[in-house]
Amino acid sequence: MMTTSHANTMTVKERPVSPLDKQPEKAEKRRDPWGVLLEKVGKNQDREAYRQLFEHFAPQVKYYAISNGIANLAEELVQEVFVSIWRRSCLYDWRKAAASTWIFTIARNQRIDMLRKMQRTSAEMAVETEDLWQIPGENEDEPVTSLHRLMSERRVRESLSHLPEEQITVIAKVYMEHKSHQMVADELDIPLGTVKSRVRLALNKLRVILQDQNV
Amino acid sequence: MTRHHPDSLSLMEYSAGNLSDPHALCIRLHLERCPQCRSRVDTLDSLGAVMMDHQPKVSVADTSFDQLMARIDNTPEPSPEAVARPKVDPLMKLLGQDINDLPWKRQLADVSVLDISDKFPGQNERVVLQKLVSGGKAPAHTHRGDETTIVLQGAFSDQNGVFNQWDFVVLNEEDEHRPVAVGCEDCITLSVLSAPLKLTGTFTRLLNPFLR
Ligand SMILES: [Zn+2]
């Protein structure tokens, strides 16, 4: 396990070209407050920090459940997500992800897992939810990408505020209502191509699409 | 068609948790070996977090936090090993053995297939492993609907280029190709088919696992 200063030094040497990464020495100052709380939970089982995280994120997770069509399981999802946050907090590393991003992936995985258990047929699948949905390498030290990860949430938040509402609506349906692009097109009564182009425009702004060779 | 890497829209569906298990498996296997796409998914996960924050909030029940703490206090903490989770190879876990040792069904001199759809109960897609022996040629064929393929071992080439291990490719009815296995290993691919293959050559009944 690398120390913080170590990882930062390495990031400076091999820093990505993104302009936001030009001042990595300021990364420490930019730490998000939720990440600080999450680390307190991980290191010291700090219950007050945990309660503050709960007050901020539990209402988001509850809405996430409702918008995903499992309103009757909303409180249960909140419980599952927060038990998971408590247990996994020792693995959280602020250099690798903003706390909200880390919590989003837990909420997503728990939502998938809950639906999977509900729909479970007599035959069980050999692979578990996390085997398919947890990004491999997340628990490793990847100093080159760590700062990029840390910055990406801030950058996404800023970029999103400049996106037209019609693009945000489409993205919200994909993320919050687990709708495929086709389902979003049907619901908004617009062609699938329009949905895809709105998403592509948005992802372009968010610089996710840079490496796409085929669009 | 999509070549070598999944397109951003598919990565977004993965980040949002909206893909079927077989499609998620294809992306997951690619991500394991592709830092570039992993970094794109990191950004997309941040987009998910920002969207969640952007939406209305719903108050939880008054008793919710106390209930949570009671549950945490009354359940034994799992061991650190159980929390950290060892790195798993989802394909190995799914198949239970090395892909080369599977009960392959030979369909042509060079081509063997194995339908593993039954490993994904409750899914509508066909999931097929295909093996082209080193140096072997598959008959020309096209694809009905979208076919997502990931190269698990070896490499193949067609008129669009060379596809190496962990490369990702999505083909549809417009993509007629004649893949050839290149390199010294047998080329093994995993494909998720939304509709059966359509053969264009003379071996109409052979490669297609659904026309037996
Ligand atoms: Zn890739």
Side-chain angles (χ1 to χ4, degrees):
Chain A
M1 196 74 184
M2 269 183 227
T3 65
T4 306
S5 58
H6 233 128
N8 276 345
T9 318
M10 287 192 64
T11 314
V12 176
K13 271 190 242 156
E14 307 181 51
R15 67 169 186 249
V17 287
S18 162
L20 272 172
D21 298 339
K22 276 182 185 156
Q23 295 173 306
E25 72 278 8
K26 285 190 183 164
E28 182 75 30
K29 287 180 202 153
R30 292 200 192 117
R31 289 186 67 174
D32 78 297
W34 308 117
V36 174
L37 292 172
L38 198 47
E39 282 204 329
K40 284 185 181 168
V41 178
K43 281 185 188 138
N44 317 315
Q45 287 80 50
D46 186 325
R47 291 180 176 224
E48 177 51 28
Y50 186 58
R51 195 187 53 76
Q52 288 180 45
L53 286 166
F54 183 85
E55 279 174 5
H56 183 74
F57 288 103
Q60 294 187 21
V61 174
K62 186 161 179 184
Y63 181 80
Y64 180 69
I66 294 168
S67 67
N68 270 295
I70 45 170
N72 54 329
L73 297 170
E75 285 284 335
E76 203 179 321
L77 185 74
V78 170
Q79 297 279 321
E80 292 301 326
V81 168
F82 275 85
V83 167
S84 189
I85 290 171
W86 178 267
R87 297 210 170 125
R88 300 179 66 108
S89 54
C90 54
L91 301 172
Y92 175 74
D93 180 343
W94 68 273
R95 290 167 295 154
K96 292 180 187 166
S100 58
T101 300
W102 192 79
I103 291 172
F104 165 73
T105 60
I106 289 182
R108 176 200 63 202
N109 292 356
Q110 292 290 343
R111 188 263 294 166
I112 294 170
D113 205 48
M114 201 173 257
L115 290 179
R116 211 172 147 181
K117 280 174 184 150
M118 274 164 60
Q119 291 158 357
R120 185 154 280 175
T121 49
S122 51
E124 293 219 353
M125 209 177 123
V127 288
E128 291 162 54
T129 302
E130 295 218 333
D131 300 335
L132 293 178
W133 300 95
Q134 192 71 23
I135 301 183
E138 203 174 62
N139 297 334
E140 289 164 16
D141 276 309
E142 291 184 354
V144 180
T145 58
S146 64
L147 195 69
H148 167 81
R149 290 180 179 197
L150 182 69
M151 290 300 149
S152 70
E153 206 234 37
R154 192 180 307 267
R155 185 160 56 73
V156 165
R157 199 174 288 276
E158 280 161 10
S159 309
L160 201 74
S161 61
H162 302 298
L163 292 183
E165 201 53 44
E166 59 171 32
Q167 290 174 20
I168 295 177
T169 304
V170 169
I171 294 173
K173 286 192 180 298
V174 172
Y175 274 97
M176 302 300 292
E177 301 173 23
H178 74 101
K179 294 206 162 97
S180 68
H181 294 112
Q182 182 62 59
M183 288 157 86
V184 174
D186 294 345
E187 192 184 304
L188 298 177
D189 201 19
I190 51 176
L192 178 60
T194 308
V195 170
K196 288 188 173 181
S197 71
R198 281 181 194 175
V199 173
R200 284 205 175 98
L201 284 169
L203 295 185
N204 214 345
K205 285 254 171 56
L206 301 172
R207 291 192 253 154
V208 171
I209 218 162
L210 273 183
Q211 297 99 328
D212 271 23
Q213 323 97 314
N214 331 292
V215 287
Chain B
M1 69 177 265
T2 302
R3 281 180 224 162
H4 305 291
H5 301 273
D7 71 4
S8 293
L9 270 69
S10 305
L11 290 181
M12 184 185 183
E13 302 251 44
Y14 179 81
S15 166
N18 298 350
L19 295 175
S20 65
D21 287 338
H23 276 112
L25 176 65
C26 291
I27 302 256
R28 163 68 175 72
L29 290 170
H30 178 79
L31 289 177
E32 175 129 16
R33 305 309 197 297
C34 185
Q36 226 183 351
C37 287
R38 242 171 15 229
S39 154
R40 293 156 80 198
V41 172
D42 281 339
T43 306
L44 286 162
D45 287 347
S46 293
L47 178 60
V50 174
M51 287 318 296
M52 203 160 82
D53 192 17
H54 192 77
Q55 299 292 314
K57 320 282 182 286
V58 180
S59 307
V60 293
D62 292 340
T63 53
S64 196
F65 187 73
D66 294 339
Q67 213 183 317
L68 179 65
M69 289 321 297
R71 188 169 152 193
I72 285 167
D73 288 336
N74 295 324
T75 334
E77 291 277 324
S79 65
E81 298 79 48
V83 172
R85 289 178 61 84
K87 241 187 161 178
V88 292
D89 174 355
L91 197 67
M92 190 66 172
K93 206 166 164 183
L94 190 73
L95 301 172
Q97 58 185 320
D98 188 275
I99 41 173
N100 290 285
D101 303 331
L102 294 168
W104 289 98
K105 294 187 176 61
R106 178 172 284 203
Q107 293 216 325
L108 284 171
D110 294 343
V111 183
S112 302
V113 299
L114 186 64
D115 189 320
I116 56 163
S117 307
D118 62 348
K119 303 274 183 194
F120 299 91
Q123 309 272 339
N124 301 318
E125 288 136 329
R126 303 310 299 259
V127 189
V128 181
L129 291 165
Q130 305 195 52
K131 180 165 76 172
L132 197 52
V133 294
S134 173
K137 293 183 175 71
H141 61 274
T142 159
H143 308 261
R144 242 179 269 159
D146 279 341
E147 181 186 321
T148 299
T149 295
I150 179 162
V151 181
L152 302 177
Q153 176 185 297
F156 75 85
S157 77
D158 63 15
Q159 71 271 27
N160 294 310
V162 177
F163 295 86
N164 293 302
Q165 194 184 24
W166 311 119
D167 272 358
F168 199 90
V169 54
V170 181
L171 299 163
N172 62 33
E173 59 276 350
E174 279 136 42
D175 302 304
E176 182 180 329
H177 70 160
R178 270 200 88 175
V180 178
V182 292
C184 42
E185 271 186 305
D186 295 344
C187 177
I188 298 179
T189 57
L190 170 71
S191 296
V192 183
L193 295 83
S194 53
L197 277 172
K198 191 168 95 192
L199 293 190
T200 47
T202 45
F203 299 102
T204 353
R205 286 176 0 93
L206 296 169
L207 183 67
N208 191 324
F210 315 116
L211 293 177
R212 270 178 285 235

